Amino acid sequence: MWKVRAAFILPLFTMLVACGTTPDADAPRRLRVLTYNIHHAQGTDGEFDYKRLADIIRSVEPDVVALQEVDVATGRSSGVDQPAVLGEHTGMYPYFVSAKPYDGGLYGEAILTRVPIEGVPAGLDTAGIEPDLAMLAIAVVGLHPWGDEGPTVTFAGAHLSPYAAEARLSQVGQINDQLLVDPNRLVLIAGDFNFTPGAPGHNAMTARWLDTADHFGDPQPTFPSNPSIKRIDYVFAYPVDRWRVLEVRVLDEPLASDHAPVLVVLEVVE
């Protein structure tokens, strides 16, 4: 597990390749994606219940998971390495990237993957950005979910600033600059974007990305978890004509976090 100890770095795991086997060449290339802001694993009932979170994740059998608001060795979470514990409970491989030091440990984002990833983390220095406007974190991995003969998918987990719309708009520009460098590369980004549909940040994303829930139809609110009143958790896909959305589901989970998890099932359009 990797950790980037910098408060104002947009961390990237670039050009990482997952190990895999060669599946049936004629089988549809599908990917099950879950995004979940876990509120440092503290539920709305005040409990830190890692098995509960893991059971929710496992119940939808994801290939890759983006987790936001994740603690490593903080005082408020009793020193627990949350990505490692959730990885152990789910049987998935955990990867962590720090947004900032917090309460004696680190606070940031994690990605869980069905298959392991190899590579070295890199970072984009965002020094000079006001602290409240800095990117909380982005973790990026490259996947070979269909074996060595299939296409690579760049998968990112994101948590954008909750403080100001102009900050989120700037962060969307950073996302596009970092991730949309090859029009032929399959890219997915999932997480807590802290904007609602029609906001400037959302409009900037959908100018180039596919909003999977909106495309699927009848998108549901995701926050707070009980009851949900607004949609701020998303899975976006690029290029828009290379993905078919098969399912979008907001899970009814009112206790484990203050956000509801979102499952999206996609298929690559060949």
Side-chain angles (χ1 to χ4, degrees):
M1 183 173 60
W2 300 308
K3 303 171 184 176
V4 180
R5 291 179 177 268
F8 310 125
I9 284 183
L10 167 61
L12 299 178
F13 292 97
T14 51
M15 299 304 292
L16 307 187
V17 180
C19 305
T21 58
T22 302
D24 182 353
D26 297 326
R29 289 184 169 132
R30 295 177 179 172
L31 203 61
R32 300 177 64 85
V33 178
L34 185 71
T35 183
Y36 200 2
N37 182 322
I38 63 170
H39 190 241
H40 56 270
Q42 186 174 27
T44 57
D45 57 359
E47 297 297 321
F48 286 79
D49 190 333
Y50 298 99
K51 184 179 183 302
R52 176 171 64 183
L53 281 170
D55 286 346
I56 293 167
I57 293 168
R58 292 177 58 196
S59 72
V60 293
E61 300 181 317
D63 296 300
V64 62
V65 183
L67 300 175
Q68 302 87 54
E69 296 194 21
V70 181
D71 281 3
V72 171
T74 68
R76 70 176 172 187
S77 300
S78 303
V80 172
D81 185 333
Q82 293 183 342
V85 170
L86 289 172
E88 181 179 359
H89 281 307
T90 60
M92 301 180 78
Y93 295 91
Y95 302 89
F96 175 77
V97 61
S98 172
K100 60 184 179 182
Y102 184 83
D103 195 14
L106 298 171
Y107 169 85
E109 318 310 311
I111 288 177
L112 304 176
T113 65
R114 178 176 49 82
V115 292
I117 291 167
E118 298 174 354
V120 178
L124 170 67
D125 187 0
T126 59
I129 296 179
E130 290 298 321
D132 285 351
L133 304 185
M135 181 76 75
L136 295 187
I138 284 188
V140 181
V141 297
L143 304 173
H144 276 173
W146 306 288
D148 294 338
E149 301 304 316
T152 299
V153 177
T154 298
F155 179 80
H159 189 178
L160 272 58
S161 171
Y163 299 108
E166 62 268 24
R168 293 188 288 274
L169 190 59
S170 173
Q171 292 161 5
V172 170
Q174 292 181 3
I175 288 168
N176 289 340
D177 289 345
Q178 289 291 316
L179 299 184
L180 305 187
V181 295
D182 181 351
N184 298 312
R185 174 63 66 97
L186 299 173
V187 188
L188 298 170
I189 185 167
D192 176 0
F193 285 77
N194 275 307
F195 53 57
T196 54
H202 182 265
N203 291 340
M205 284 295 292
T206 55
R208 302 190 67 182
W209 299 77
L210 180 71
D211 179 341
T212 56
D214 187 59
H215 183 75
F216 188 72
D218 191 27
Q220 299 298 304
T222 64
F223 178 83
S225 57
N226 185 29
S228 296
I229 60 175
K230 61 182 178 178
R231 186 162 71 102
I232 61 175
D233 302 273
Y234 300 84
V235 176
F236 291 103
Y238 176 89
V240 296
D241 60 350
R242 291 293 309 281
W243 295 98
R244 181 178 296 113
V245 185
L246 304 180
E247 180 183 359
V248 177
R249 192 190 336 160
V250 178
L251 280 61
D252 181 14
E253 295 294 344
L255 291 180
S257 173
D258 62 345
H259 286 243
V262 182
L263 172 73
V264 177
V265 183
L266 302 119
E267 183 176 288
V268 176
V269 176
E270 303 292 350

